[in-house]
Amino acid sequence: MFKFLEEEPFSPIKHSYEVEAILHREKSKFQDIAVIENRFFGKMLLLDGIVQITERDEFFYHEMLTHVLMHAHPNPKRVIVIGGGDGGIVREVLKHKTVEKVYFVEIDESVITVSRRFFPDVAQAIDDPRVEIKVMDGAEFVKNSTGIDLVIVDSTDVIGFARTLFTKEFFDSVKNSMTENGMFVTHTESLHLHKDIVIEMQEKLMKTFPVVDLYTAAIATYPGNWWAFAVGSLKLTPRECRRPFTIETKFYDDEIHTQCFLTKKFYDKLLKRQLKW
Ligand code: SAM
């Protein structure tokens, strides 16, 4: 048994985690799934050797990927969550009373099973009657969807079978599935380490959506830490918090909402590729 686990990240930096115990290890149809115990982070879920969530800090990522658009949209009722097999995004979406239906589209059923067993707090809302689980590629599901207010992508990195979720064809299907105020969000890696990917994704979204924007949050276990979230919207800017903040969260609130976007000046310089780092 290894004492330290060296992550195999999609980046030039390798994180190394102390392993108190390996709680689970399997090869699913799609990926290597591991759950380890770490002294600081608690239980950690790894897919193909890359950290997905940790018990200690999952809420930063799940809240920020969910609540910014859930508050920017005036009345989100029908939501698609793609990936997110641990259930964290579904849990956050269902905190909103407006929500009538959540399509939870995860390609790998084994991730859901493992999360139910080892991360019951994260997976707690998966069985809510408003949730319909679809075990399939999210890009295929969206092609035949209509009447959707929000699409949230919580996938693995832009490599492997998650690649379908970062294409122009996928963004076009997302747009076609939406109601008039429809909005879309996906993570696009780290501004520190993957600046070019972040910019390219903004440019790609601009070919589909009239409004495109970028907000960030600090995530301890994702390489580069300064994590970028890309938004595509049919009409409304995501910068405005249009609904009262009444739900219970640990990190996200209406003040964070207005602070998490890049300043317009910095965003402009970034997209014009005027900044070297
Ligand atoms: N928060 C995590 C992160 O960014 O590291 C992501 C967590 S979640 C477990 C990622 C999930 O996306 C995985 O369970 C994976 O199976 C799923 N996934 C990847 N590509 C997918 C696709 N094309 N359609 C549906 N689910 C997909």
Side-chain angles (χ1 to χ4, degrees):
M1 209 185 270
F2 40 72
K3 187 136 194 326
F4 276 87
L5 171 92
E6 215 172 71
E7 202 189 18
E8 290 293 342
F10 169 59
S11 77
I13 292 174
K14 276 193 177 193
H15 289 187
S16 180
Y17 293 95
E18 194 178 9
V19 179
E20 299 239 310
I22 299 171
L23 304 174
H24 182 76
R25 191 88 197 252
E26 74 175 87
K27 276 233 179 286
S28 75
K29 214 168 112 193
F30 293 93
Q31 53 209 336
D32 179 275
I33 304 177
V35 180
I36 66 160
E37 181 78 37
N38 173 272
R39 209 153 30 117
F40 184 79
F41 288 110
K43 286 191 208 115
M44 302 175 68
L45 171 69
L46 290 96
L47 298 179
D48 285 338
I50 298 176
V51 175
Q52 305 293 309
I53 59 164
T54 86
E55 251 178 344
R56 187 179 182 119
D57 78 338
E58 52 84 13
F59 68 90
F60 284 107
Y61 175 80
H62 289 137
E63 289 184 7
M64 288 304 285
L65 183 54
T66 307
H67 297 306
V68 175
L69 291 199
M70 289 298 291
H71 285 86
H73 192 287
N75 190 18
K77 289 185 183 161
R78 289 164 55 82
V79 180
I80 299 179
V81 175
I82 296 177
D86 48 71
I89 300 297
V90 170
R91 178 192 67 196
E92 296 303 318
V93 167
L94 289 174
K95 286 181 179 172
H96 294 262
K97 299 237 162 16
T98 55
V99 174
E100 293 168 0
K101 182 85 189 173
V102 181
Y103 295 102
F104 174 24
V105 193
E106 164 62 58
I107 205 165
D108 189 349
E109 195 167 19
S110 304
V111 177
I112 302 176
T113 308
V114 165
S115 188
R116 281 185 199 277
R117 181 168 161 213
F118 293 99
F119 300 91
D121 184 48
V122 180
Q124 59 175 269
I126 291 176
D127 296 319
D128 187 287
R130 289 168 289 176
V131 177
E132 190 171 330
I133 301 176
K134 299 276 180 189
V135 177
M136 62 188 289
D137 184 336
E140 283 304 310
F141 179 77
V142 170
K143 272 185 200 165
N144 300 312
S145 301
T146 51
I148 303 300
D149 300 310
L150 280 188
V151 176
I152 302 175
V153 171
D154 178 21
S155 72
T156 35
D157 292 312
V158 194
I159 44 177
F161 50 87
R163 205 178 293 126
T164 56
L165 306 175
F166 296 90
T167 61
K168 164 100 170 75
E169 190 193 356
F170 170 65
F171 297 151
D172 287 344
S173 317
V174 168
K175 182 182 176 184
N176 293 335
S177 75
M178 284 176 163
T179 52
E180 57 166 349
N181 293 319
M183 292 183 187
F184 165 80
V185 62
T186 185
H187 75 80
T188 50
E189 310 294 333
S190 156
L191 254 179
H192 280 313
L193 297 185
H194 316 108
K195 173 166 60 72
D196 293 339
I197 294 179
V198 175
I199 296 171
E200 280 159 24
M201 214 54 79
Q202 291 286 301
E203 289 169 341
K204 213 183 255 189
L205 283 170
M206 281 169 186
K207 292 191 176 126
T208 300
F209 292 97
V211 181
V212 174
D213 217 327
L214 181 62
Y215 66 91
T216 64
I219 311 290
T221 47
Y222 296 167
N225 306 112
W226 189 21
W227 218 243
F229 301 88
V231 176
S233 167
L234 292 189
K235 203 158 81 183
L236 304 171
T237 169
R239 292 186 182 231
E240 196 179 318
C241 188
R242 292 185 180 79
R243 302 177 51 237
F245 172 64
T246 54
I247 55 163
E248 265 194 42
T249 50
K250 289 184 181 168
F251 179 64
Y252 171 90
D253 61 30
D254 40 359
E255 250 182 284
I256 298 273
H257 190 118
T258 52
Q259 289 169 9
C260 65
F261 286 87
L262 298 189
T263 65
K264 297 224 162 141
K265 288 191 185 81
F266 179 64
Y267 182 72
D268 265 9
K269 283 190 277 185
L270 182 75
L271 282 224
K272 285 180 186 150
R273 292 183 160 78
Q274 289 170 350
L275 302 171
K276 297 270 176 273
W277 80 79

